[in-house]
Amino acid sequence: MDKKRILLYTLAFAAFAILVYMQFRTWRHFDWATFWKESGNLGRPPHIFHLFHAVALIYVAYFMRALRWKIFLRPVRPKASTWKLVGPTMIGFTGLALLGRPGELIRPYLIARKEKLTFSSQLAVWAVERIFDIGAFTILLVLAAFFATAPKRLAYHRSFQEAWLIFLALSVGLIIGALAVSRSGEALASWVERRFAHLASGLGHRIALRIREFRGGLDTIHNAWSFAMLAVVSVAMWATIAVAYKEVTHSYHNEDLEIPQSQVLLLMGSSMVGSVIQLPGVGGGSQLATIAALEHIFDVPKELAASCGIMLWLVTFVGVIPIGLLLAHREQLSLRKLSAESHQKEEEAVSPPAG
């Protein structure tokens, strides 16, 4: 394990420990009997059927991710198969769930190998994919914040609207930045390379390379029809995930967790923010952020909030692991080896030229 990865793990663990301590202070009178009772009910009908439905929806979302990547590949691999991309997609997310952030690059690395493309080209697609994710989720948030009636009943609705406007501004900024890179990416990369050439570790070269890669990723959107398809698939995917969240909360058959669909987006947002702090195999930030949102925004009792927060994480994030491991075993792939190889390829790509 390199020094950079050790530092990232240390920082993530420290942040996670602080969050756990803060949560523990508020749970001094936590009723474990209630927690286990609420969680145990999920293993019986009809509760478990809602959980199965939620897992199935999450798997549909993985298929949509593969379909979206196929659209990205159309200019260079017009005959790419969505079904053949499902395997690398699920294996990649399994690596992310088990290894944490070091597993993030497994998916673009596997797709590059399967489609016989350069790793840097798929890293570029991966970067552009993030913009579509943020944009699609922002669209759903804005629709819920300003047009749905359920969120307006929340005590913090005005504050949420302000936060969502900030999120919208961020999305618009990313789009404007992407357009600028698309039109003048090479000129910008050359300027950055010259401007920061004197800094250590080839920083100018690294940044310039990322700009060129990102521009190459934008080139995969070769016409307005492709953009429209990518946008529709992205919004549909995040809407599917939102329904999966709703199915998990509804599985408890508890009035405190009967959260309207438009409000469920708040849980998704809190989970996404919390996932920035993630430890290999155990997550951490995602669960705590979701539990805090349930308890403080939706006034769910802490025992029920803890059970639901953990179950949401298991269904939406960990649920891919069994199928992902099965697919990796069938192809005789080691997740740790794939992670190491992908990071080595990344380092080779960003290393400054000799001399």
Side-chain angles (χ1 to χ4, degrees):
M1 184 181 295
D2 56 31
K3 292 182 179 179
K4 179 181 176 182
R5 197 172 300 180
I6 292 173
L7 177 62
L8 290 175
Y9 279 160
T10 302
L11 292 175
F13 181 80
F16 178 59
I18 292 171
L19 289 173
V20 170
Y21 174 72
M22 292 173 62
Q23 197 70 57
F24 175 76
R25 291 189 61 183
T26 65
W27 287 359
R28 290 179 178 176
H29 304 290
F30 191 82
D31 187 348
W32 286 101
T34 301
F35 170 80
W36 290 116
K37 178 183 177 181
E38 295 290 352
S39 302
N41 288 336
L42 297 176
R44 297 191 291 269
H47 309 273
I48 196 170
F49 297 137
H50 293 289
L51 294 181
F52 283 148
H53 186 207
V55 172
L57 289 170
I58 293 299
Y59 279 23
V60 170
Y62 287 127
F63 177 83
M64 290 182 177
R65 285 190 181 276
L67 172 61
R68 184 172 62 178
W69 207 293
K70 168 187 164 62
I71 298 171
F72 279 122
L73 290 179
R74 185 168 293 173
V76 291
R77 292 291 185 271
K79 295 184 179 180
S81 167
T82 302
W83 283 110
K84 289 183 179 179
L85 293 173
V86 169
T89 299
M90 300 191 78
I91 293 172
F93 277 96
T94 298
L96 179 61
L98 291 176
L99 304 177
R101 294 303 171 194
E104 272 191 323
L105 301 183
I106 290 177
R107 181 162 56 113
Y109 179 68
L110 278 177
I111 292 174
R113 284 202 333 189
K114 183 175 286 290
E115 299 297 331
K116 295 179 172 58
L117 296 166
T118 63
F119 180 48
S120 61
S121 70
Q122 299 314 289
L123 274 181
V125 172
W126 179 71
V128 175
E129 184 191 50
R130 301 280 73 75
I131 293 182
F132 277 92
D133 281 337
I134 294 172
F137 186 67
T138 299
I139 289 172
L140 294 175
L141 276 179
V142 169
L143 289 175
F146 294 97
F147 298 102
T149 57
K152 295 177 182 177
R153 295 195 291 267
L154 292 172
Y156 305 103
H157 178 252
R158 185 170 295 276
S159 298
F160 292 143
Q161 282 189 328
E162 293 172 357
W164 292 334
L165 285 174
I166 293 173
F167 210 79
L168 178 61
L170 173 63
S171 299
V172 172
L174 288 173
I175 293 172
I176 293 174
L179 291 173
V181 170
S182 178
R183 295 189 60 178
S184 308
E186 182 57 38
L188 178 61
S190 298
W191 179 84
V192 168
E193 203 161 20
R194 291 193 306 270
R195 178 66 179 80
F196 298 101
H198 63 285
L199 297 180
S201 303
L203 179 61
H205 172 75
R206 288 170 177 263
I207 298 175
L209 182 64
R210 293 304 188 204
I211 293 173
R212 292 187 178 104
E213 284 181 350
F214 185 63
R215 188 188 184 197
L218 292 171
D219 288 341
T220 61
I221 310 171
H222 55 288
N223 55 38
W225 176 241
S226 293
F227 177 84
M229 286 193 295
L230 290 167
V232 169
V233 171
S234 298
V235 172
M237 181 189 75
W238 282 103
T240 300
I241 296 172
V243 177
Y245 267 72
K246 172 64 177 177
E247 280 294 278
V248 173
T249 60
H250 183 59
S251 68
Y252 284 82
H253 288 264
N254 188 302
E255 185 177 350
D256 290 318
L257 282 173
E258 290 301 334
I259 301 172
Q261 184 69 66
S262 55
Q263 292 182 12
V264 165
L265 292 167
L266 290 173
L267 286 181
M268 294 173 63
S270 63
S271 177
M272 291 167 66
V273 172
S275 66
V276 173
I277 302 172
Q278 180 178 305
L279 296 175
V282 299
S286 176
Q287 302 97 299
L288 290 176
T290 306
I291 291 168
L294 285 167
E295 185 179 357
H296 299 295
I297 296 176
F298 298 101
D299 296 322
V300 176
K302 53 183 175 292
E303 296 83 7
L304 188 59
S307 175
C308 186
I310 293 171
M311 186 54 63
L312 281 167
W313 174 71
L314 290 173
V315 168
T316 62
F317 194 69
V318 180
V320 69
I321 291 178
I323 300 298
L325 288 178
L326 182 64
L327 292 171
H329 177 73
R330 190 185 67 177
E331 298 188 28
Q332 299 181 327
L333 298 172
S334 165
L335 294 179
R336 291 191 180 277
K337 185 177 179 182
L338 287 171
S339 176
E341 289 176 356
S342 63
H343 282 274
Q344 182 180 355
K345 285 284 188 181
E346 184 192 29
E347 286 299 317
E348 291 174 359
V350 300
S351 296

